[in-house]
PDB file of all heavy atoms in Angstrom:
ATOM      1  N   ILE A 304      13.733 -18.487   4.490  1.00 98.00           N
ATOM      2  CA  ILE A 304      14.422 -17.386   5.173  1.00 98.00           C
ATOM      3  C   ILE A 304      14.395 -17.665   6.672  1.00 98.00           C
ATOM      4  O   ILE A 304      13.341 -17.960   7.244  1.00 98.00           O
ATOM      5  CB  ILE A 304      13.700 -16.044   4.902  1.00 98.00           C
ATOM      6  CG1 ILE A 304      13.686 -15.712   3.409  1.00 98.00           C
ATOM      7  CG2 ILE A 304      14.323 -14.911   5.730  1.00 98.00           C
ATOM      8  CD1 ILE A 304      14.977 -15.228   2.841  1.00 98.00           C
ATOM      9  N   GLU A 305      15.557 -17.579   7.279  1.00 98.00           N
ATOM     10  CA  GLU A 305      15.658 -17.779   8.723  1.00 98.00           C
ATOM     11  C   GLU A 305      15.178 -16.514   9.435  1.00 98.00           C
ATOM     12  O   GLU A 305      15.640 -15.416   9.108  1.00 98.00           O
ATOM     13  CB  GLU A 305      17.122 -18.027   9.061  1.00 98.00           C
ATOM     14  CG  GLU A 305      17.348 -19.009  10.159  1.00 98.00           C
ATOM     15  CD  GLU A 305      18.824 -19.365  10.219  1.00 98.00           C
ATOM     16  OE1 GLU A 305      19.542 -18.637  10.926  1.00 98.00           O
ATOM     17  OE2 GLU A 305      19.241 -20.327   9.542  1.00 98.00           O
ATOM     18  N   LEU A 306      14.292 -16.681  10.388  1.00 98.00           N
ATOM     19  CA  LEU A 306      13.783 -15.520  11.129  1.00 98.00           C
ATOM     20  C   LEU A 306      14.482 -15.416  12.479  1.00 98.00           C
ATOM     21  O   LEU A 306      15.052 -16.394  12.976  1.00 98.00           O
ATOM     22  CB  LEU A 306      12.265 -15.655  11.321  1.00 98.00           C
ATOM     23  CG  LEU A 306      11.459 -15.750  10.017  1.00 98.00           C
ATOM     24  CD1 LEU A 306       9.976 -15.976  10.313  1.00 98.00           C
ATOM     25  CD2 LEU A 306      11.644 -14.496   9.173  1.00 98.00           C
ATOM     26  N   SER A 307      14.396 -14.241  13.079  1.00 98.00           N
ATOM     27  CA  SER A 307      15.187 -13.993  14.296  1.00 98.00           C
ATOM     28  C   SER A 307      14.665 -14.755  15.507  1.00 98.00           C
ATOM     29  O   SER A 307      15.323 -14.779  16.544  1.00 98.00           O
ATOM     30  CB  SER A 307      15.243 -12.495  14.600  1.00 98.00           C
ATOM     31  OG  SER A 307      13.940 -11.988  14.724  1.00 98.00           O
ATOM     32  N   ASP A 308      13.492 -15.386  15.412  1.00 98.00           N
ATOM     33  CA  ASP A 308      13.004 -16.196  16.537  1.00 98.00           C
ATOM     34  C   ASP A 308      13.374 -17.681  16.375  1.00 98.00           C
ATOM     35  O   ASP A 308      12.888 -18.534  17.106  1.00 98.00           O
ATOM     36  CB  ASP A 308      11.483 -16.035  16.698  1.00 98.00           C
ATOM     37  CG  ASP A 308      10.704 -16.504  15.468  1.00 98.00           C
ATOM     38  OD1 ASP A 308      11.330 -17.034  14.524  1.00 98.00           O
ATOM     39  OD2 ASP A 308       9.473 -16.355  15.464  1.00 98.00           O
ATOM     40  N   GLY A 309      14.223 -17.982  15.373  1.00 98.00           N
ATOM     41  CA  GLY A 309      14.700 -19.353  15.208  1.00 98.00           C
ATOM     42  C   GLY A 309      13.855 -20.189  14.259  1.00 98.00           C
ATOM     43  O   GLY A 309      14.223 -21.319  13.943  1.00 98.00           O
ATOM     44  N   THR A 310      12.721 -19.651  13.810  1.00 98.00           N
ATOM     45  CA  THR A 310      11.909 -20.376  12.831  1.00 98.00           C
ATOM     46  C   THR A 310      12.371 -19.979  11.429  1.00 98.00           C
ATOM     47  O   THR A 310      13.206 -19.092  11.265  1.00 98.00           O
ATOM     48  CB  THR A 310      10.408 -20.032  12.992  1.00 98.00           C
ATOM     49  OG1 THR A 310      10.219 -18.639  12.677  1.00 98.00           O
ATOM     50  CG2 THR A 310       9.938 -20.314  14.416  1.00 98.00           C
ATOM     51  N   SER A 311      11.796 -20.625  10.422  1.00 98.00           N
ATOM     52  CA  SER A 311      12.095 -20.201   9.060  1.00 98.00           C
ATOM     53  C   SER A 311      10.821 -20.207   8.228  1.00 98.00           C
ATOM     54  O   SER A 311       9.853 -20.907   8.551  1.00 98.00           O
ATOM     55  CB  SER A 311      13.183 -21.077   8.425  1.00 98.00           C
ATOM     56  OG  SER A 311      12.736 -22.390   8.293  1.00 98.00           O
ATOM     57  N   ILE A 312      10.832 -19.404   7.169  1.00 98.00           N
ATOM     58  CA  ILE A 312       9.650 -19.203   6.345  1.00 98.00           C
ATOM     59  C   ILE A 312      10.030 -19.416   4.879  1.00 98.00           C
ATOM     60  O   ILE A 312      11.061 -18.894   4.431  1.00 98.00           O
ATOM     61  CB  ILE A 312       9.065 -17.779   6.579  1.00 98.00           C
ATOM     62  CG1 ILE A 312       7.823 -17.533   5.720  1.00 98.00           C
ATOM     63  CG2 ILE A 312      10.098 -16.686   6.341  1.00 98.00           C
ATOM     64  CD1 ILE A 312       7.089 -16.220   6.072  1.00 98.00           C
ATOM     65  N   TYR A 366       3.185 -23.607   5.546  1.00 98.00           N
ATOM     66  CA  TYR A 366       3.369 -22.404   6.370  1.00 98.00           C
ATOM     67  C   TYR A 366       2.166 -21.482   6.183  1.00 98.00           C
ATOM     68  O   TYR A 366       1.818 -21.097   5.065  1.00 98.00           O
ATOM     69  CB  TYR A 366       4.648 -21.689   5.928  1.00 98.00           C
ATOM     70  CG  TYR A 366       5.129 -20.632   6.883  1.00 98.00           C
ATOM     71  CD1 TYR A 366       6.184 -20.881   7.755  1.00 98.00           C
ATOM     72  CD2 TYR A 366       4.541 -19.371   6.914  1.00 98.00           C
ATOM     73  CE1 TYR A 366       6.638 -19.906   8.639  1.00 98.00           C
ATOM     74  CE2 TYR A 366       4.986 -18.391   7.793  1.00 98.00           C
ATOM     75  CZ  TYR A 366       6.032 -18.674   8.651  1.00 98.00           C
ATOM     76  OH  TYR A 366       6.473 -17.706   9.519  1.00 98.00           O
ATOM     77  N   ARG A 394      -2.430 -24.004  15.641  1.00 98.00           N
ATOM     78  CA  ARG A 394      -1.652 -22.776  15.670  1.00 98.00           C
ATOM     79  C   ARG A 394      -1.242 -22.414  14.247  1.00 98.00           C
ATOM     80  O   ARG A 394      -1.156 -23.280  13.371  1.00 98.00           O
ATOM     81  CB  ARG A 394      -0.431 -22.890  16.563  1.00 98.00           C
ATOM     82  CG  ARG A 394       0.717 -23.666  16.004  1.00 98.00           C
ATOM     83  CD  ARG A 394       1.924 -23.453  16.898  1.00 98.00           C
ATOM     84  NE  ARG A 394       3.085 -24.101  16.328  1.00 98.00           N
ATOM     85  CZ  ARG A 394       4.309 -23.957  16.811  1.00 98.00           C
ATOM     86  NH1 ARG A 394       4.524 -23.202  17.856  1.00 98.00           N
ATOM     87  NH2 ARG A 394       5.315 -24.566  16.259  1.00 98.00           N
ATOM     88  N   ASN A 396       1.648 -20.288  11.730  1.00 98.00           N
ATOM     89  CA  ASN A 396       3.085 -20.045  11.771  1.00 98.00           C
ATOM     90  C   ASN A 396       3.398 -18.585  12.041  1.00 98.00           C
ATOM     91  O   ASN A 396       4.372 -18.268  12.731  1.00 98.00           O
ATOM     92  CB  ASN A 396       3.729 -20.474  10.447  1.00 98.00           C
ATOM     93  CG  ASN A 396       3.519 -21.937  10.173  1.00 98.00           C
ATOM     94  OD1 ASN A 396       2.486 -22.315   9.617  1.00 98.00           O
ATOM     95  ND2 ASN A 396       4.441 -22.765  10.608  1.00 98.00           N
ATOM     96  N   MET A 397       2.600 -17.706  11.447  1.00 99.00           N
ATOM     97  CA  MET A 397       2.891 -16.270  11.563  1.00 99.00           C
ATOM     98  C   MET A 397       1.586 -15.510  11.732  1.00 99.00           C
ATOM     99  O   MET A 397       0.624 -15.738  10.991  1.00 99.00           O
ATOM    100  CB  MET A 397       3.603 -15.791  10.290  1.00 99.00           C
ATOM    101  CG  MET A 397       3.885 -14.298  10.236  1.00 99.00           C
ATOM    102  SD  MET A 397       5.194 -13.758  11.373  1.00 99.00           S
ATOM    103  CE  MET A 397       6.651 -14.371  10.515  1.00 99.00           C
ATOM    104  N   TRP A 398       1.551 -14.598  12.711  1.00 99.00           N
ATOM    105  CA  TRP A 398       0.396 -13.731  12.925  1.00 99.00           C
ATOM    106  C   TRP A 398       0.896 -12.304  12.792  1.00 99.00           C
ATOM    107  O   TRP A 398       1.819 -11.894  13.508  1.00 99.00           O
ATOM    108  CB  TRP A 398      -0.196 -13.968  14.310  1.00 99.00           C
ATOM    109  CG  TRP A 398      -1.626 -13.558  14.456  1.00 99.00           C
ATOM    110  CD1 TRP A 398      -2.588 -13.549  13.491  1.00 99.00           C
ATOM    111  CD2 TRP A 398      -2.263 -13.136  15.659  1.00 99.00           C
ATOM    112  NE1 TRP A 398      -3.799 -13.156  14.023  1.00 99.00           N
ATOM    113  CE2 TRP A 398      -3.621 -12.888  15.346  1.00 99.00           C
ATOM    114  CE3 TRP A 398      -1.833 -12.944  16.970  1.00 99.00           C
ATOM    115  CZ2 TRP A 398      -4.541 -12.452  16.294  1.00 99.00           C
ATOM    116  CZ3 TRP A 398      -2.746 -12.519  17.917  1.00 99.00           C
ATOM    117  CH2 TRP A 398      -4.093 -12.274  17.584  1.00 99.00           C
ATOM    118  N   GLN A 418       1.083 -15.628  21.324  1.00 98.00           N
ATOM    119  CA  GLN A 418       2.272 -16.419  20.981  1.00 98.00           C
ATOM    120  C   GLN A 418       2.698 -17.265  22.182  1.00 98.00           C
ATOM    121  O   GLN A 418       3.034 -18.446  22.051  1.00 98.00           O
ATOM    122  CB  GLN A 418       3.418 -15.497  20.547  1.00 98.00           C
ATOM    123  CG  GLN A 418       4.652 -16.251  20.078  1.00 98.00           C
ATOM    124  CD  GLN A 418       5.799 -15.318  19.742  1.00 98.00           C
ATOM    125  OE1 GLN A 418       5.954 -14.249  20.342  1.00 98.00           O
ATOM    126  NE2 GLN A 418       6.608 -15.709  18.782  1.00 98.00           N
ATOM    127  N   THR A 423       0.432 -19.107  17.908  1.00 98.00           N
ATOM    128  CA  THR A 423       1.202 -18.731  16.715  1.00 98.00           C
ATOM    129  C   THR A 423       2.681 -18.932  17.020  1.00 98.00           C
ATOM    130  O   THR A 423       3.119 -18.657  18.140  1.00 98.00           O
ATOM    131  CB  THR A 423       0.922 -17.272  16.289  1.00 98.00           C
ATOM    132  OG1 THR A 423       1.691 -16.992  15.109  1.00 98.00           O
ATOM    133  CG2 THR A 423       1.280 -16.255  17.365  1.00 98.00           C
ATOM    134  N   ALA A 424       3.406 -19.427  16.029  1.00 98.00           N
ATOM    135  CA  ALA A 424       4.840 -19.623  16.253  1.00 98.00           C
ATOM    136  C   ALA A 424       5.573 -18.281  16.249  1.00 98.00           C
ATOM    137  O   ALA A 424       6.474 -18.069  17.044  1.00 98.00           O
ATOM    138  CB  ALA A 424       5.402 -20.541  15.168  1.00 98.00           C
ATOM    139  N   SER A 425       5.155 -17.399  15.354  1.00 98.00           N
ATOM    140  CA  SER A 425       5.867 -16.127  15.192  1.00 98.00           C
ATOM    141  C   SER A 425       4.867 -14.985  15.141  1.00 98.00           C
ATOM    142  O   SER A 425       3.703 -15.179  14.781  1.00 98.00           O
ATOM    143  CB  SER A 425       6.661 -16.126  13.873  1.00 98.00           C
ATOM    144  OG  SER A 425       7.605 -17.169  13.866  1.00 98.00           O
ATOM    145  N   ILE A 426       5.347 -13.799  15.463  1.00 98.00           N
ATOM    146  CA  ILE A 426       4.513 -12.603  15.330  1.00 98.00           C
ATOM    147  C   ILE A 426       5.290 -11.522  14.573  1.00 98.00           C
ATOM    148  O   ILE A 426       6.505 -11.393  14.716  1.00 98.00           O
ATOM    149  CB  ILE A 426       4.002 -12.061  16.694  1.00 98.00           C
ATOM    150  CG1 ILE A 426       5.137 -11.913  17.695  1.00 98.00           C
ATOM    151  CG2 ILE A 426       2.888 -12.929  17.241  1.00 98.00           C
ATOM    152  CD1 ILE A 426       4.691 -11.287  19.027  1.00 98.00           C
ATOM    153  N   GLY A 427       4.541 -10.791  13.771  1.00 98.00           N
ATOM    154  CA  GLY A 427       5.159  -9.742  12.973  1.00 98.00           C
ATOM    155  C   GLY A 427       4.159  -8.649  12.678  1.00 98.00           C
ATOM    156  O   GLY A 427       3.055  -8.611  13.246  1.00 98.00           O
ATOM    157  N   VAL A 445       9.818  -6.748  22.746  1.00 98.00           N
ATOM    158  CA  VAL A 445       9.683  -7.817  21.745  1.00 98.00           C
ATOM    159  C   VAL A 445       9.605  -7.182  20.351  1.00 98.00           C
ATOM    160  O   VAL A 445       8.701  -6.386  20.072  1.00 98.00           O
ATOM    161  CB  VAL A 445       8.414  -8.674  21.985  1.00 98.00           C
ATOM    162  CG1 VAL A 445       8.278  -9.757  20.918  1.00 98.00           C
ATOM    163  CG2 VAL A 445       8.448  -9.291  23.378  1.00 98.00           C
ATOM    164  N   ALA A 446      10.551  -7.580  19.499  1.00 98.00           N
ATOM    165  CA  ALA A 446      10.555  -7.055  18.125  1.00 98.00           C
ATOM    166  C   ALA A 446       9.771  -7.985  17.210  1.00 98.00           C
ATOM    167  O   ALA A 446       9.809  -9.213  17.384  1.00 98.00           O
ATOM    168  CB  ALA A 446      11.990  -6.939  17.624  1.00 98.00           C
ATOM    169  N   PRO A 447       9.069  -7.429  16.254  1.00 98.00           N
ATOM    170  CA  PRO A 447       8.461  -8.281  15.226  1.00 98.00           C
ATOM    171  C   PRO A 447       9.576  -9.026  14.485  1.00 98.00           C
ATOM    172  O   PRO A 447      10.689  -8.499  14.369  1.00 98.00           O
ATOM    173  CB  PRO A 447       7.778  -7.281  14.271  1.00 98.00           C
ATOM    174  CG  PRO A 447       7.823  -5.950  14.941  1.00 98.00           C
ATOM    175  CD  PRO A 447       8.895  -5.987  15.973  1.00 98.00           C
ATOM    176  N   VAL A 448       9.286 -10.225  13.975  1.00 98.00           N
ATOM    177  CA  VAL A 448      10.329 -10.926  13.216  1.00 98.00           C
ATOM    178  C   VAL A 448      10.194 -10.663  11.723  1.00 98.00           C
ATOM    179  O   VAL A 448      11.085 -11.017  10.944  1.00 98.00           O
ATOM    180  CB  VAL A 448      10.323 -12.451  13.489  1.00 98.00           C
ATOM    181  CG1 VAL A 448      10.667 -12.726  14.938  1.00 98.00           C
ATOM    182  CG2 VAL A 448       8.999 -13.088  13.095  1.00 98.00           C
ATOM    183  N   MET A 449       9.084 -10.026  11.335  1.00 98.00           N
ATOM    184  CA  MET A 449       8.887  -9.769   9.905  1.00 98.00           C
ATOM    185  C   MET A 449       8.029  -8.510   9.749  1.00 98.00           C
ATOM    186  O   MET A 449       7.196  -8.222  10.603  1.00 98.00           O
ATOM    187  CB  MET A 449       8.156 -10.970   9.284  1.00 98.00           C
ATOM    188  CG  MET A 449       8.204 -11.032   7.783  1.00 98.00           C
ATOM    189  SD  MET A 449       7.491 -12.584   7.188  1.00 98.00           S
ATOM    190  CE  MET A 449       5.756 -12.150   7.151  1.00 98.00           C
ATOM    191  N   ARG A 470      17.195  -4.467  13.010  1.00 98.00           N
ATOM    192  CA  ARG A 470      16.340  -4.846  14.141  1.00 98.00           C
ATOM    193  C   ARG A 470      15.973  -6.334  14.091  1.00 98.00           C
ATOM    194  O   ARG A 470      15.101  -6.796  14.836  1.00 98.00           O
ATOM    195  CB  ARG A 470      15.065  -3.991  14.127  1.00 98.00           C
ATOM    196  CG  ARG A 470      15.341  -2.533  14.471  1.00 98.00           C
ATOM    197  CD  ARG A 470      14.253  -1.616  13.951  1.00 98.00           C
ATOM    198  NE  ARG A 470      14.479  -0.234  14.385  1.00 98.00           N
ATOM    199  CZ  ARG A 470      15.370   0.595  13.811  1.00 98.00           C
ATOM    200  NH1 ARG A 470      16.115   0.183  12.797  1.00 98.00           N
ATOM    201  NH2 ARG A 470      15.516   1.821  14.259  1.00 98.00           N
ATOM    202  N   GLY A 471      16.606  -7.073  13.171  1.00 98.00           N
ATOM    203  CA  GLY A 471      16.341  -8.509  13.059  1.00 98.00           C
ATOM    204  C   GLY A 471      15.002  -8.812  12.415  1.00 98.00           C
ATOM    205  O   GLY A 471      14.412  -9.874  12.649  1.00 98.00           O
ATOM    206  N   ILE A 472      14.500  -7.882  11.602  1.00 98.00           N
ATOM    207  CA  ILE A 472      13.165  -8.036  11.017  1.00 98.00           C
ATOM    208  C   ILE A 472      13.293  -8.379   9.538  1.00 98.00           C
ATOM    209  O   ILE A 472      13.919  -7.643   8.764  1.00 98.00           O
ATOM    210  CB  ILE A 472      12.351  -6.724  11.188  1.00 98.00           C
ATOM    211  CG1 ILE A 472      12.240  -6.378  12.678  1.00 98.00           C
ATOM    212  CG2 ILE A 472      10.980  -6.850  10.528  1.00 98.00           C
ATOM    213  CD1 ILE A 472      11.681  -4.977  12.939  1.00 98.00           C
ATOM    214  N   ALA A 473      12.687  -9.498   9.137  1.00 98.00           N
ATOM    215  CA  ALA A 473      12.773  -9.918   7.737  1.00 98.00           C
ATOM    216  C   ALA A 473      11.783  -9.123   6.894  1.00 98.00           C
ATOM    217  O   ALA A 473      10.631  -8.944   7.287  1.00 98.00           O
ATOM    218  CB  ALA A 473      12.475 -11.409   7.619  1.00 98.00           C
TER     219      ALA A 473
END
Side-chain angles (χ1 to χ4, degrees):
I304 299 285
E305 216 169 88
L306 301 176
S307 57
D308 61 5
T310 65
S311 64
I312 180 171
Y366 194 102
R394 76 169 185 172
N396 300 86
M397 176 72 74
W398 202 30
Q418 184 184 32
T423 181
S425 300
I426 50 176
V445 179
V448 296
M449 196 173 85
R470 291 158 175 78
I472 301 169

